[in-house]
Amino acid sequence: MRPPTATEWAAVRRARLRIAVITGAIVTLLIAVVGGVALTVMVHAQNEQVWRDLRYGAGHGHLASPPVCTWLYAPGVDPLPNAPGGFPLRADVNRARRTHEAVERTLERDRTVYLVRTQVRADGDVVQAVFDMRFQLADRDHLWSALGVAELVGLLAAVVTGALLGRKAVAPLAEALTRQHQFVTDASHELRTPITQVHTRAQVLARQAADQELPVPHRDGLARLVTSAGRLGEVLDDLLLSASLAAGPAGPSERRPVDLVALARAVVAEESDRARARRLTVVVDAPPHPLLVDGIQSALRRAVGELLSNAIGHTPAEGRIKVTLSRFADMVVLAVTDTGSGFDPTAVDQLFQRFHRGSGDGGRYGLGLALLREVVTRHGGTVAATGRPGHGARFTIRLPEYAPADPDPARPVTAARAMRAVGPQRGRPRPADGPARPGESPRSERRGVLRIGARWGGGRRREPPGADRARGSRTAG
């Protein structure tokens, strides 16, 4: 089993961090809630006790020896030497004498809090009782300090506990991700050879059936078998590319300047036979100079090919497809516009979902557009789609323009230099369409196992058997 990739390790570390943070937040919140409840209960109990003692002292306390932290003021009685200044409160005394009702208030003075009660006693004297909350406030400050220390200790303990829990909890997930990618890679590699053999054998049988003029149902069944085998091979290629992308971004040694203009023209040339069979006009509108991006040529070729294949599959006969390339704000923009069936604008997000079922050209399940977005995103770009039912569609790819690390101002970039940097254009093998495919011309039927490449790209190229792809679903493949 291969070791986890850098991307998988980064995902595992993020998961561990999230678990540690969530655990710390929960423990901290619990300590805060418990501390807040304890403080509230203590404050309420203290206030109730103080007011109860203060009311008893004001009504029955001895004027010469009041309770601790309490001072009693009455007419003709001298206050104690340690009595706080500013008492008695004459306004409260006059009010109690006038209304014969007790007056209670809370004052903040001299960095402490005083509770004051003024009332008329049974003997007719007006007594004012003052209580100093100094010690109660000190107890509350000590409780706050204890809660702060408990919060800090609890937070540290929660982070350590969360890290340990995260390591234990995420380890099976990391192993599962590793096994999943390994399974996809191994299965794709192991299945590619037998599927190619099945596809080639089916093409041979279909060709023999056409040469021997077997009944039409037999030839149609073999044609469908060829198409199904080709699509299965394409799904395997998509899985391989997806697995390689999921393994992490390509290193500098795997990336190089890619001329999107030359790449787009090569892809259009590959699809020329299919476009002519469907009586479509394909136009490339690009500048004469290269438009370079930094990336993996095979992956970008797969992305552009997917856009063009979808456009061909969803454009009716006599339709028009336009491939436009331009440069805007240090970005290279490639747009594929068609006059096909279009799509509902509210379903844009569903177009790029894996295995979303399309509605055109077979409507198969696939990975195409989801893989396209994955490729573009890995290259630091974006992909967008616009369209309306019956009014065609437009898919736009934006990729960062290639910026040389040490450009030579004395040697401007020319088309010849760019082509030498890009290297030969090697397309992805595509399975032959096979004979008697619905909607194909007789020329496609005569091609048999080996397909002659289109002449739009300036030459012929022979492609291996079992490499053509019956693509056409706009929404997922």
Side-chain angles (χ1 to χ4, degrees):
M1 182 182 301
R2 64 174 177 84
T5 64
T7 303
E8 292 171 345
W9 275 122
V12 170
R13 285 193 294 268
R14 286 194 298 268
R16 291 175 180 174
L17 179 60
R18 283 195 294 269
I19 292 177
V21 170
I22 292 174
T23 304
I26 292 176
V27 173
T28 302
L29 181 61
L30 289 176
I31 295 177
V33 170
V34 172
V37 172
L39 181 63
T40 302
V41 172
M42 187 188 75
V43 170
H44 179 75
Q46 284 183 342
N47 289 337
E48 289 293 330
Q49 181 64 34
V50 169
W51 279 113
R52 187 163 49 249
D53 294 343
L54 190 62
R55 290 168 185 145
Y56 179 83
H60 308 282
H62 195 282
L63 298 179
S65 57
V68 179
C69 297
T70 304
W71 292 271
L72 299 177
Y73 298 90
V77 178
D78 295 332
L80 298 177
N82 61 347
F87 295 100
L89 303 178
R90 297 298 178 182
D92 290 356
V93 172
N94 294 334
R95 180 181 173 184
R97 181 179 291 114
R98 184 177 63 255
T99 62
H100 291 274
E101 293 181 356
V103 179
E104 295 180 348
R105 70 174 62 248
T106 302
L107 297 177
E108 293 187 10
R109 183 183 296 176
D110 300 332
R111 292 183 297 181
T112 187
V113 176
Y114 295 100
L115 303 183
V116 183
R117 177 180 173 86
T118 308
Q119 71 175 56
V120 179
R121 285 190 171 184
D123 56 7
D125 292 338
V126 179
V127 177
Q128 187 171 92
V130 179
F131 187 88
D132 188 353
M133 296 282 293
R134 190 182 312 271
F135 296 109
Q136 284 76 10
L137 295 178
D139 292 340
R140 298 174 189 178
D141 291 339
H142 293 158
L143 180 58
W144 274 115
S145 301
L147 288 177
V149 173
E151 283 283 352
L152 181 60
V153 174
L155 179 59
L156 295 177
V159 169
V160 174
T161 304
L164 295 176
L165 290 177
R167 183 179 298 273
K168 295 293 185 181
V170 177
L173 175 61
E175 183 179 357
L177 289 174
T178 302
R179 291 183 179 275
Q180 177 188 5
H181 294 314
Q182 187 68 31
F183 170 77
V184 171
T185 302
D186 292 345
S188 300
H189 278 295
E190 293 298 328
L191 290 175
R192 171 178 289 190
T193 299
I195 288 179
T196 302
Q197 294 174 349
V198 170
H199 186 229
T200 303
R201 183 59 181 165
Q203 287 179 313
V204 172
L205 292 176
R207 182 171 146 182
Q208 292 176 352
D211 293 339
Q212 298 175 7
E213 297 183 355
L214 293 180
V216 174
H218 292 177
R219 286 182 288 173
D220 290 343
L222 289 174
R224 286 193 292 270
L225 178 61
V226 171
T227 301
S228 300
R231 288 177 176 178
L232 183 57
E234 181 185 356
V235 170
L236 285 178
D237 288 342
D238 289 344
L239 289 175
L240 277 174
L241 180 56
S242 179
S244 64
L245 292 174
S253 60
E254 303 177 40
R255 304 172 73 100
R256 63 174 180 171
V258 178
D259 180 13
L260 279 190
V261 175
L263 188 147
R265 293 187 186 278
V267 171
V268 170
E270 289 180 2
E271 295 284 356
S272 60
D273 285 348
R274 187 179 173 206
R276 282 196 293 268
R278 298 175 67 93
R279 302 194 302 278
L280 301 177
T281 301
V282 181
V283 179
V284 178
D285 182 8
H289 55 81
L291 294 176
L292 301 179
V293 298
D294 186 28
I296 302 176
Q297 180 175 334
S298 59
L300 293 176
R301 192 182 190 89
R302 175 69 176 88
V304 177
E306 183 62 40
L307 288 186
L308 185 59
S309 176
N310 272 327
I312 293 175
H314 287 79
T315 304
E318 310 300 335
R320 179 182 176 88
I321 299 173
K322 184 176 183 180
V323 181
T324 307
L325 295 103
S326 60
R327 178 181 178 274
F328 179 76
D330 297 331
M331 301 289 288
V332 176
V333 182
L334 185 148
V336 178
T337 308
D338 62 64
T339 58
S341 57
F343 57 87
D344 187 354
T346 60
V348 172
D349 293 336
Q350 298 179 359
L351 295 178
F352 299 97
Q353 292 179 0
R354 291 190 172 212
F355 304 108
H356 175 69
R357 185 166 181 82
S359 57
D361 201 19
R364 68 180 179 87
Y365 292 97
L367 297 170
L369 289 183
L371 189 58
L372 161 69
R373 182 170 62 178
E374 195 172 347
V375 169
V376 174
T377 302
R378 294 284 181 172
H379 284 77
T382 60
V383 58
T386 57
R388 290 186 302 163
H391 292 79
R394 178 183 177 91
F395 287 80
T396 304
I397 294 176
R398 291 178 173 84
L399 294 169
E401 186 178 18
Y402 171 71
D406 186 16
D408 185 359
R411 300 182 61 195
V413 177
T414 63
R417 287 181 58 201
M419 291 301 294
R420 285 196 298 270
V422 173
Q425 301 290 330
R426 292 189 175 89
R428 176 185 173 206
R430 306 161 61 83
D433 296 327
R437 172 187 284 191
E440 296 288 350
S441 65
R443 176 178 178 179
S444 299
E445 183 174 333
R446 292 193 301 269
R447 283 200 302 269
V449 177
L450 297 180
R451 173 183 174 185
I452 302 301
R455 297 182 178 83
W456 294 9
R460 296 187 178 184
R461 54 190 298 268
R462 186 179 296 273
E463 298 183 350
D468 196 6
R469 295 294 175 255
R471 295 183 296 182
S473 173
R474 176 183 307 278
T475 59

